[in-house]
Amino acid sequence: MQNNVFFGILENAALLICVAVLYDFLWLKLDKKRKLLPQIVIGIFLIGIAIMLMRNPWVYVNDIQFDTRSVMLTISGLFFGGITTLVALFGTALYRIQLGGDGMYMGVAVIVLSALIGLAWRKIRPQIIEKKRIGEIFIVALIVHIIMLCCTILLPKDFRLGTLKTIWWAVLLIYPLTTALIAKLLFNRDENWEFREKLSESEKKYRLLFDENPTPMWIYDLETLRFLEVNNAAIEEYGYSKEEFLSMTLRDIRPADEVPKLLDNIKSNNEQFQKSGVWKHLTKDGNLKHVTISSHETTYKGRPARHVMVSDVTELIRINQELAHLEERYRNYIELSNEAICLFELEQPIDITKDVDSQIDDIYKYSYVGECNQTFCDNHNIKSPEEAKGMRLGQIFPRLSKVNIEHLRQFIINGYKIHGVETKEITKHSEIKHFINSWSGIIENDRFLRMWNSKQDITRVKEAEDEVRKLNAELEKRVVERTKQLERAVKELEAFSYSISHDLRAPLRAINGFTEILVEDHSNNLDDEGKRICNVIKTNATQMNQLIEELLRFSRASRANLTHSTIDTSKLIESILNEIYINNPNYKKAQITFNNLPNYYADPVLMKQVWYNLLDNAIKFSGKNANPEVIITCIKGVDLLTFCISDNGVGFDMRYYNKLFGVFQRLHTESEFPGTGAGLAIVKRIIERHGGTIWAESELGKGTKFFFTVPQNATNQNENPTSSSND
């Protein structure tokens, strides 16, 4: 059957376009998976297209048909790969063999060679497809169809020349050009598919970046301000569901007072990309958030819109407020502090691994005043902190001072911290001042960066100390002089005591003796009044002698050297009571109670006098009670023993307590209770010489308690031979 050439070419072209569709909708989707079955299926589709091509040839020459199966198989070899092409090759070849005829051998040869040349070329030069080389494909097609013309040798001899004359122009011009055009179409489909994949990947990335971005984002309609899209972070941060968000507008998440500002900003904003300042947003639960906004214009589903990114700066604002508060407190402390405070900056960091002397050199070389307070300026006669800025460390903390160098050495050795050191520093007017200094260094990554200095001006204190030293020296001189005066007074007192013991007692003995002679030898010449007067003279002379004895005893208690030994308190009290009972038998009716009193270290002679006077007083002043009672106790302290002698006697009025320990001071009359009034003064002097104290508590009619303390051992004795009583 002879077909019209034009319509035959169109039919073949349409069928070849099916190859492009097959490539687009099947091969490009399945190629990457590289599964065997899909490739075989596509090969079968190509067999079908080849059969249709052969059933619709565009020319017959002497019962020999020509079609574009060579173009299809060449394209298959170049684009579809080995398995698909081989399946198409065998299927097409079998069908051609089944057709038979004079052109069978040539047809099968063309089928096999077209497919194999395409496969071989793809294998040898893969860049022909990778780089989409249309020109090279035209050359391959030309080679294929030149070989196709050569295959006419397989035709019967009678048909060879006629066939060549009929088909050569079409085979050499139309077939290669058709192959190139089909390849171009496939390349376009490949590019389209790559574009679709990239677009799909871009869409996925965008959705991922938008939906899963940890920063809240949304897209809103520029005309209605309605939310068009919102990501998960915004849903979580604001508490609304996605459906709730998409039913709202920007106004709904703004405080009412910010809505006008929002509308003005949107109306006046003509920028493609915008970063706005801090805004306030409301969450679903009513909490207020401070945010910053970054946005850019976009088109979303055909609507003019803006894509918004939200940064929550609520915590940042809170931190900034706290920092501002801390900065204010810091400034107030620095400016209002009575201490001089200064920050020394370093022009370059100092390596703290260097030796100490090198670091000291660098500190003096690079340190300067970075900031300071007015107190620092006042201490150094500088007008203001601005004037102080930039001053070198050596202008304030002179390097010539060995003490200052040693302080810096200790500062470095102690880990760049030192506290409470005295320094000498120079003021602007070259005045030397004394300070108590503290230094603290800032270290980062083994680099010494800066140091804080706080100090107090102690110049006046040092001047006062100098004045005190001068006064102490003068006082010591005066003490020496007064000691000499005291020593002279003591010697005079000793001479006076000697005079009393010898010069005054002799006349008293004479008065007493002559009075006794008058009473014994001349009583017949004396009337009753004369005898009474003689008795009064004798009594007063005896009393005068007792006063002199007590005064001498008081003097000895003040001047006698102390000889310490261990005192058995209980035995001492028992011996004293026996002595008291001998002198005053009626005292035995008193109940005396004491148990397990501790021993202590003191002068036994003087302490006997203490106990005798206190016990005698306690029994004497309890004598008018029907059941007189005296209780002796002791409390042990860390270093001291506190003894208490308690009685149930007449007591005394505490208003007169200041007279209690005075020499010859009495709180009761001689007729009520005999005595000289010197006993407690002697007791007080002895206790004080042993480093103790004595006091009393009493109430009229309810008895008296006397307390005194003494050290437990010799190391705590503090003899004071010149201590005075309240006399």
Side-chain angles (χ1 to χ4, degrees), residues 537-605:
I537 292 172
K538 188 177 180 180
T539 300
N540 279 282
T542 301
Q543 186 176 2
M544 181 66 177
N545 188 60
Q546 290 177 346
L547 290 173
I548 291 171
E549 286 293 337
E550 293 293 340
L551 186 60
L552 289 173
R553 192 175 291 114
F554 181 76
S555 177
R556 284 194 296 271
S558 300
R559 296 184 293 106
N561 292 329
L562 300 181
T563 303
H564 293 83
S565 64
T566 301
I567 295 175
D568 188 328
T569 309
S570 297
K571 287 185 178 181
L572 177 62
I573 291 174
E574 289 175 355
S575 65
I576 290 172
L577 289 174
N578 290 332
E579 187 176 336
I580 290 174
Y581 294 155
I582 292 171
N583 296 330
N584 300 281
N586 59 325
Y587 281 8
K588 289 184 177 181
K589 69 175 183 177
Q591 177 68 37
I592 311 298
T593 304
F594 61 93
N595 292 303
N596 300 322
L597 296 175
N599 299 339
Y600 60 98
Y601 200 76
D603 186 301
V605 175

Side-chain angles (χ1 to χ4, degrees), residues 56-301:
N56 294 279
W58 63 275
V59 66
Y60 276 110
V61 178
N62 299 321
D63 205 29
I64 301 171
Q65 63 182 32
F66 289 90
D67 51 56
T68 55
R69 77 189 85 127
S70 59
V71 174
M72 186 203 75
L73 290 169
T74 303
I75 291 294
S76 176
L78 290 171
F79 285 88
F80 287 93
I83 294 174
T84 299
T85 302
L86 290 176
V87 170
L89 183 155
F90 285 113
T92 306
L94 289 173
Y95 182 76
R96 182 64 188 89
I97 292 170
Q98 187 267 334
L99 288 178
D102 293 334
M104 181 186 69
Y105 294 108
M106 178 185 173
V108 172
V110 170
I111 290 171
V112 172
L113 291 174
S114 299
L116 293 179
I117 291 172
L119 287 173
W121 205 281
R122 167 101 180 240
K123 182 68 175 179
I124 296 170
R125 292 183 57 79
Q127 61 268 28
I128 188 173
I129 303 300
E130 292 171 0
K131 296 185 179 180
K132 300 178 175 59
R133 292 176 174 175
I134 295 296
E136 188 173 346
I137 288 176
F138 180 84
I139 294 171
V140 173
L142 188 60
I143 293 172
V144 167
H145 290 95
I146 289 173
I147 293 174
M148 176 181 172
L149 291 178
C150 294
C151 288
T152 55
I153 196 172
L154 299 176
L155 294 173
K157 186 175 182 181
D158 296 338
F159 301 140
R160 293 173 186 168
L161 184 59
T163 301
L164 282 174
K165 288 181 180 179
T166 304
I167 66 170
W168 72 266
W169 61 275
V171 170
L172 294 180
L173 294 178
I174 297 175
Y175 280 29
L177 184 60
T178 302
T179 304
L181 290 175
I182 296 298
K184 176 64 175 175
L185 180 61
L186 295 183
F187 281 145
N188 288 339
R189 304 314 301 166
D190 200 8
E191 290 175 355
N192 289 342
W193 187 260
E194 289 178 0
F195 177 76
R196 283 199 299 269
E197 283 190 329
K198 290 179 180 178
L199 184 63
S200 176
E201 186 66 25
S202 177
E203 176 67 17
K204 289 179 182 177
K205 290 180 179 178
Y206 173 78
R207 296 306 307 181
L208 181 63
L209 288 174
F210 184 84
D211 289 336
E212 304 303 326
N213 197 301
T215 301
M217 292 191 294
W218 55 68
I219 299 172
Y220 71 90
D221 191 307
L222 278 175
E223 296 178 358
T224 65
L225 305 185
R226 184 171 297 279
F227 290 101
L228 301 177
E229 189 60 82
V230 63
N231 74 347
N232 295 329
I235 292 170
E236 183 177 349
E237 288 286 333
Y238 286 79
Y240 295 103
S241 66
K242 186 169 185 178
E243 292 72 19
E244 288 174 324
F245 249 122
L246 299 182
S247 66
M248 297 163 57
T249 69
L250 287 181
R251 300 182 185 88
D252 298 324
I253 62 168
R254 303 295 179 110
D257 59 337
E258 277 207 353
V259 171
K261 179 182 174 183
L262 167 68
L263 298 177
D264 290 341
N265 180 267
I266 294 173
K267 188 175 181 180
S268 61
N269 178 30
N270 296 317
E271 298 178 8
Q272 179 70 18
F273 178 80
Q274 180 192 29
K275 281 190 175 181
S276 62
V278 177
W279 294 85
K280 296 176 183 177
H281 281 184
L282 290 171
T283 63
K284 185 176 181 179
D285 56 11
N287 288 332
L288 193 66
K289 300 166 68 75
H290 291 84
V291 300
T292 57
I293 301 295
S294 299
S295 66
H296 65 85
E297 285 191 7
T298 186
T299 299
Y300 186 81
K301 296 182 179 179

Side-chain angles (χ1 to χ4, degrees), residues 18-52 72-73 75-77 79-92 186:
C18 291
V19 175
V21 173
L22 187 67
Y23 183 78
D24 188 18
F25 286 97
L26 291 179
W27 180 256
L28 290 177
K29 292 181 180 180
L30 300 175
D31 182 51
K32 293 181 180 179
K33 297 181 179 179
R34 300 188 181 278
K35 293 183 178 180
L36 179 62
L37 183 59
Q39 295 184 63
I40 294 174
V41 171
I42 294 172
I44 293 171
F45 275 109
L46 290 177
I47 293 172
I49 294 172
I51 291 172
M52 285 187 285
M72 186 203 75
L73 290 169
I75 291 294
S76 176
F79 285 88
F80 287 93
I83 294 174
T84 299
T85 302
L86 290 176
V87 170
L89 183 155
F90 285 113
T92 306
L186 295 183

